[in-house]
Amino acid sequence: MTTWVWVLSGILLLAVTIQPVGTAAQMSTGVTLLAAMAGIWLTRRKGAFRLVFVALGLTVVARYVYWRTTSTLPSPDDLVDFVPGLILYLMEMFTVLMMCISLFVVADPLERPAPPAVADDDLPTVDVFVPSYNEDKEILSATLAAARAMDYPADKLTVYLLDDGGTDQKCGSSDAVAAHKARSRRAELQELCADLGCVYLTRVRNEHAKAGNMNAALPKTSGEIIAVFDADHAPVREFLRETVGHFRDDPRLFLVQTPHFFLNPDPIEKNLSTFRHMPSENEMFYGVIQKGLDKWNAAFFCGSAALIRREALEEGGGFDGVSITEDCETALGMHARGWNSRYVDKPLIAGLQPETFATFIGQRSRWCRGMMQILILKNPVFKAGLTIPQRIAYLSSSLFWLFPLTRLTFIFAPMLYIFLSMQIFEASIDEFVAYTMIYMAANLMMQNYLYGDVRWPWVSELYEYVQSLYLAGAIASVVANPRKPTFNVTAKGLVTDEKRLSELAMPYFLMFALLVVAETVAIWRLLHEPGSRDMLAVVALWNGLNLAIAGLALGVVSEREERRRAQRLSVSRRGAVRIGDATIQVMVEDVSSGGAKLRPLDGRLPADRSTGRKGFLAVAMSHEDRRVAAVPIVLRRVGHDEKGGAFGVSFDTLTAAQAAVVADLMYADGGPLSAFRRSRQHYVGVFSGTARMVALSLRHTLRGLVYLARIGQPPAEKPEPAPAAKPAEGAQRSQT
C-alpha cells in the first residue's frame, strides 16, 4: 500500500510540474505552496507534517527545475553564452539532486532507544584501541586514563595504546635524531601505559597509516568488541554502559557509533566568537544526518567514539585502507557484507578540533580527498550487497564533497553578466521572481525547518565557501590520480600567541576585492544603463550575498589569540583544598588537564592570596569505593566574578595515578557534555538568522581589513591544504 501511495504521489507531482501556466499563475501557485509550508514551518509541527512539508517544498523545486530546463538556457548557436550557461545549469541541477538525496536521508530520522540492560556476567570483552602517531604524553595520558576508568568489569576491559610513533622502523631510522626521538617516545609511553594499567603496542613498519596500525593490533588482542578512540578523544565513564548492550540486541550488528563532541572551538567558531552560543558545525551531521542514516541502516564509522564487533572485522579482513578515509570505507564494506550499524545520539567523548585555520583546511582536504577516493574506487552505486537506501545514503556522503564546484560556480556566475554582459540565464524579472525567488524561499524554509536547531541560516554557505578555495584543487588531484592521496596528521593542542592572519589568508582577501569591484561595477551600471536595470538588480543582489559571505570569511582567516592549550570542561564536584595550614571546602566548577576553577563553599577565599603557593586538591573518586584521592596544585589567581569569590589553580607535576584523578574529575559524568550541547541547540529563524549573518559580516569584514593593515601574515609554512608528495609513512589522524 505504501509503495502505491508513493507511486501515485510521484505521478501527481509530475502532472503538477509540467502544467504550462503563465507567470502570474506560477506566482500565485508558488505563493500558495509557500504559505502552506509556512503554516507547518512556523508552528514547527513534526511527525506526518514533516513529510507533507517536504512534499510541498519538492513541488516548488520541481516547478523550478522544469522551467529552468525548458525556458532559460541560452541558444546553442551562441557558444560564448551557451557553454557557461550550461555549466551554471548543471551545477544548479547537481544542487537539486543533492537536496533530494538529503531529503531522502533525513525525512524521517530515527530516534534510537536506549540499549537493553545486560548483566555484568553476560557482557562481552572489550579491547580499547587508542591509535597514536605524534601526540604528546599529556594528551595521551588524559585519554588513556579516561578509557581505563570506564564503568565496566575490570576483567573484561583492556586498553591498548597503538603507538605508530615508536615503531621498529622509526627506532632504527638512519637519521640519528629521528631514531633517538622515536626510542625516547617508545620508552616514555611504555612507562605511561605501565603506570595507568594499559598495554603498549607498536609494530615493525609504518604501513597503511591508521588502518594498518589497528590491523596490526588485531592478532595481538582478543576482545569480542573493539572500542576505537582517537588520541585526543577521552570517553566519559558511562561510555560502554550506554553502547555495549546494542550488540546483545542484534547479533549482526557490527558498529555502534556515537557523536564526536569537542571541548574547543574550531577556527571559524574561535575567530568569529560563536562557540558558546551557536550550534557547532558538526551538529548538523551528528544531530540530524547520522540519525537519518540510521533509519536506513547506513550510519557509518567516523573513526573514533565507536564500537566494532571483532567477528565482523575479521570476516572482512580488518579495517579497509584503500582510501585515506578508512572509517567510512570500512563501514561501506561491512554494510555490503550484510552487517548492521546503529547510531547513539548522545555525546560520550570529549575531543579536540584543529586550532588554526591552516590545520582546519588540511583536515578537510584529507576528508574531501578520501571521500572522492571512495566515490571513484568503491562507488556505492555499484557496490554489491548494499540495499538501495544504503546506496543513496553513501552516495550522499561522498557526493557532498563536490560542493566546491557548485560554490565557486555560484560565485563567478554573476560576474559574467556584470563585467561582460553575458546572457547565461535567460529570464525576465517577472519570471525570475515567480520561479527563482519562490524556489530559493522554499529551499531556505526546508533547510530551516529540518535543521533549524542545529544549523543557523547561512552558516553552511560560510563553511562551504572558506573550504572551497582550497578543496577544489584537492578534488582535481584525486580525479587525476585516485590512488595518490596519502595520510597526513592533523595537529592538535596548538596555541596562537598573538593576533595574526592565517598563512592561507591571501586568496580570501583577493576574492573579496574582486567581489567589491564587481559590486561597484554593478551599481555603476544600474545608475547608467536603465535598459538593463532589472537583470542588473538581480545579479547585484546575488553578488552582494557572495560579498557578505566573503567579508565574513575575512574574520575567519584573522586568527585570534588562543594561549590555552588545555581546554576546560564545566563540572560540578565537591572537594577540599589544602594550602599551608588552611583547608577550604570547595566546588570544582571547571577542569582541564592543566588546572581547575574552584569556588569556596563558604565564600571565604584563601587568606594568603600569593600566587605560586602549593597545596593539594582532594576529591572523592567516582568509582564504587568512593575513595578520596589528591592531586598537587599551584595557586594561580584569586578574585571575584558574577557568582562571588573563586580561585584558579594549575596542577603541579602529576604522576600517572594523579593524572587518572584529573581524568576522573573531567570525564566521570557525560551530563556536562549533553548540557553544553543542548545549550547551543536553539532555533533561529531565516529572518533573524539572516540579520545576524549581515551584522557579523559587517563586523568581521572590518576586523579582517584591520588585521591585514596592522598585523599581516605569519612566516609559518603552509600545512597540508593539498596532497603532499610523500608525507611520513604511517601518519595517523587524531580525529575523523
Side-chain angles (χ1 to χ4, degrees):
M1 182 65 181
T2 303
T3 302
W4 282 108
V5 170
W6 282 107
V7 170
L8 292 174
S9 299
I11 294 173
L12 180 61
L13 175 61
L14 179 63
V16 172
T17 297
I18 63 176
Q19 286 301 310
V21 300
T23 303
Q26 165 62 25
M27 175 69 79
S28 176
T29 302
V31 169
T32 301
L33 290 169
L34 290 182
M37 292 175 66
I40 301 173
W41 177 46
L42 295 176
T43 57
R44 307 193 68 205
R45 296 192 176 194
K46 303 295 182 181
F49 286 97
R50 185 182 180 97
L51 298 179
V52 172
F53 181 90
V54 169
L56 293 170
L58 285 176
T59 303
V60 175
V61 172
R63 284 293 302 167
Y64 173 77
V65 168
Y66 180 74
W67 168 77
R68 182 78 172 89
T69 303
T70 59
S71 305
T72 66
L73 288 172
S75 170
D77 296 332
D78 183 1
L79 291 180
V80 173
D81 287 342
F82 178 74
V83 171
L86 180 62
I87 292 173
L88 176 61
Y89 167 77
L90 292 176
M91 291 299 102
E92 282 191 73
M93 294 305 103
F94 179 75
T95 62
V96 171
L97 171 65
M98 288 304 300
M99 177 199 302
C100 293
I101 291 176
S102 298
L103 289 174
F104 173 82
V105 170
V106 305
D108 187 22
L110 180 63
E111 297 294 338
R112 174 73 63 182
V118 181
D120 283 4
D121 291 343
D122 294 330
L123 288 171
T125 54
V126 175
D127 289 336
V128 175
F129 285 4
V130 181
S132 173
Y133 181 69
N134 62 357
E135 295 82 7
D136 62 29
K137 178 181 176 181
E138 182 182 78
I139 289 177
L140 290 171
S141 176
T143 301
L144 293 173
R148 191 72 182 84
M150 287 190 293
D151 181 16
Y152 209 71
D155 61 334
K156 294 189 174 186
L157 175 66
T158 309
V159 178
Y160 295 90
L161 173 62
L162 313 184
D163 180 26
D164 243 12
T167 59
D168 294 348
Q169 176 186 354
K170 287 186 171 294
C171 290
S173 171
S174 58
D175 183 333
V177 174
H180 174 74
K181 183 177 179 181
R183 288 193 294 267
S184 298
R185 173 185 171 85
R186 179 189 282 192
E188 180 182 49
L189 296 184
Q190 283 176 330
E191 181 181 1
L192 174 66
C193 287
D195 290 341
L196 290 175
C198 303
V199 179
Y200 177 90
L201 291 179
T202 188
R203 53 179 172 152
V204 176
R205 300 187 60 81
N206 299 87
E207 296 175 333
H208 305 296
K210 182 178 178 181
N213 190 9
M214 293 190 291
N215 284 337
L218 284 175
K220 302 175 184 177
T221 59
S222 59
E224 298 170 68
I225 305 298
I226 295 170
V228 181
F229 300 116
D230 280 338
D232 61 334
H233 281 190
V236 299
R237 181 165 163 73
E238 65 264 35
F239 182 93
L240 294 176
R241 295 291 183 180
E242 294 282 349
T243 53
V244 167
H246 286 289
F247 289 95
R248 285 290 184 254
D249 195 38
D250 179 2
R252 291 295 296 172
L253 182 67
F254 84 90
L255 170 72
V256 174
Q257 179 67 55
T258 71
H260 293 185
F261 182 86
F262 301 106
L263 295 177
N264 67 316
D266 69 30
I268 296 176
E269 294 169 322
K270 180 190 74 174
N271 295 330
L272 299 183
S273 300
T274 60
F275 180 60
R276 293 291 171 187
H277 59 272
M278 186 178 79
S280 182
E281 187 242 359
N282 67 351
E283 279 301 301
M284 182 171 167
F285 176 71
Y286 287 113
V288 178
I289 294 175
Q290 271 283 49
K291 292 194 288 188
L293 295 171
D294 199 21
K295 166 80 173 182
W296 303 111
N297 189 27
F300 61 82
F301 179 35
C302 297
S304 180
L307 300 177
I308 303 176
R309 191 187 296 270
R310 178 183 292 271
E311 178 189 351
L313 274 175
E314 292 178 343
E315 178 190 289
F319 294 91
D320 292 335
V322 173
S323 75
I324 56 175
T325 46
E326 84 297 323
D327 42 19
C328 183
E329 182 188 348
T330 297
L332 176 64
M334 297 288 190
H335 279 128
R337 286 189 289 274
W339 290 90
N340 303 323
S341 64
R342 293 187 181 184
Y343 174 65
V344 175
D345 186 30
K346 184 175 183 179
L348 297 169
I349 62 100
L352 296 176
Q353 301 188 89
E355 288 85 357
T356 67
F357 183 71
T359 54
F360 171 83
I361 291 296
Q363 179 197 64
R364 299 310 171 94
S365 175
R366 188 178 69 242
W367 295 358
C368 175
R369 287 181 284 127
M371 296 306 288
M372 289 298 98
Q373 285 182 293
I374 290 176
L375 184 64
I376 295 172
L377 300 175
K378 295 192 172 185
N379 194 304
V381 173
F382 307 108
K383 185 75 171 177
L386 296 178
T387 65
I388 291 177
Q390 286 175 329
R391 295 178 195 278
I392 295 173
Y394 275 104
L395 196 62
S396 171
S397 299
S398 53
L399 286 178
F400 163 79
W401 288 97
L402 290 173
F403 69 78
L405 306 183
T406 57
R407 185 59 51 195
L408 292 177
T409 299
F410 297 155
I411 289 173
F412 286 107
M415 297 186 198
L416 296 179
Y417 186 82
I418 292 172
F419 290 127
L420 304 173
S421 296
M422 294 175 65
Q423 301 283 345
I424 65 173
F425 189 123
E426 295 188 351
S428 67
I429 189 66
D430 291 340
E431 289 175 323
F432 185 85
V433 172
Y435 286 94
T436 305
M437 296 299 288
I438 295 291
Y439 158 70
M440 292 178 64
N443 197 351
L444 281 171
M445 289 170 69
M446 283 193 287
Q447 288 185 41
N448 195 247
Y449 176 80
L450 296 172
Y451 305 113
D453 291 333
V454 295
R455 177 62 53 86
W456 290 359
W458 307 107
V459 172
S460 290
E461 285 74 10
L462 173 64
Y463 272 87
E464 289 183 5
Y465 170 75
V466 299
Q467 295 176 78
S468 293
L469 298 191
Y470 284 98
L471 265 56
I475 294 171
S477 71
V478 178
V479 172
N481 190 344
R483 297 186 182 275
K484 182 179 179 180
T486 46
F487 208 112
N488 282 45
V489 178
T490 299
K492 305 291 178 58
L494 302 179
V495 294
T496 308
D497 292 328
E498 59 183 2
K499 297 177 181 179
R500 64 177 179 86
L501 287 179
S502 168
E503 52 266 47
L504 306 185
M506 198 48 60
Y508 299 91
F509 284 91
L510 295 176
M511 181 63 75
F512 178 78
L514 178 61
L515 289 167
V516 168
V517 172
E519 195 68 7
T520 303
V521 171
I523 293 172
W524 186 89
R525 291 186 62 187
L526 270 171
L527 297 175
H528 294 85
E529 299 179 17
S532 304
R533 280 180 181 170
D534 286 348
M535 187 55 65
L536 279 169
V538 169
V539 295
L541 180 63
W542 184 356
N543 188 77
L545 176 59
N546 290 336
L547 181 60
I549 294 172
L552 190 52
L554 300 188
V556 170
V557 298
S558 301
E559 304 272 20
R560 296 185 186 273
E561 289 179 290
E562 178 53 79
R563 298 184 179 182
R564 174 173 289 174
R565 191 165 185 269
Q567 300 299 325
R568 298 205 164 193
L569 177 65
S570 295
V571 299
S572 182
R573 291 277 291 275
R574 290 192 60 165
V577 171
R578 179 79 174 178
I579 301 179
D581 296 330
T583 299
I584 305 172
Q585 300 296 317
V586 298
M587 182 67 70
V588 182
E589 292 197 341
D590 66 45
V591 63
S592 73
S593 59
K597 180 179 180 180
L598 311 176
R599 190 174 302 281
L601 293 178
D602 60 6
R604 291 183 295 177
L605 295 170
D608 184 348
R609 304 183 184 182
S610 304
T611 58
R613 298 186 69 207
K614 295 190 175 184
F616 288 90
L617 169 64
V619 294
M621 299 289 281
S622 62
H623 302 349
E624 287 77 4
D625 57 12
R626 304 297 295 175
R627 63 184 175 84
V628 175
V631 292
I633 59 171
V634 178
L635 189 63
R636 291 302 181 198
R637 61 187 182 279
V638 180
H640 291 77
D641 57 19
E642 66 278 2
K643 296 181 181 179
F647 54 99
V649 300
S650 61
F651 299 126
D652 210 349
T653 304
L654 301 177
T655 66
Q658 291 165 342
V661 177
V662 174
D664 184 81
L665 266 174
M666 293 185 69
Y667 307 115
D669 178 17
L673 304 185
S674 296
F676 182 49
R677 188 192 195 201
R678 287 192 301 270
S679 72
R680 296 188 300 178
Q681 290 184 346
H682 54 94
Y683 174 79
V684 170
V686 171
F687 298 110
S688 59
T690 301
R692 291 187 190 206
M693 189 274 287
V694 171
L696 278 173
S697 178
L698 293 173
R699 176 151 56 94
H700 288 286
T701 298
L702 178 60
R703 188 172 72 86
L705 295 174
V706 169
Y707 270 53
L708 179 66
R710 296 183 180 177
I711 298 172
Q713 291 180 259
E717 293 185 4
K718 186 174 178 179
E720 199 241 333
K726 185 171 182 177
E729 287 190 87
Q732 305 298 312
R733 56 173 158 175
S734 291
Q735 69 178 71
T736 306

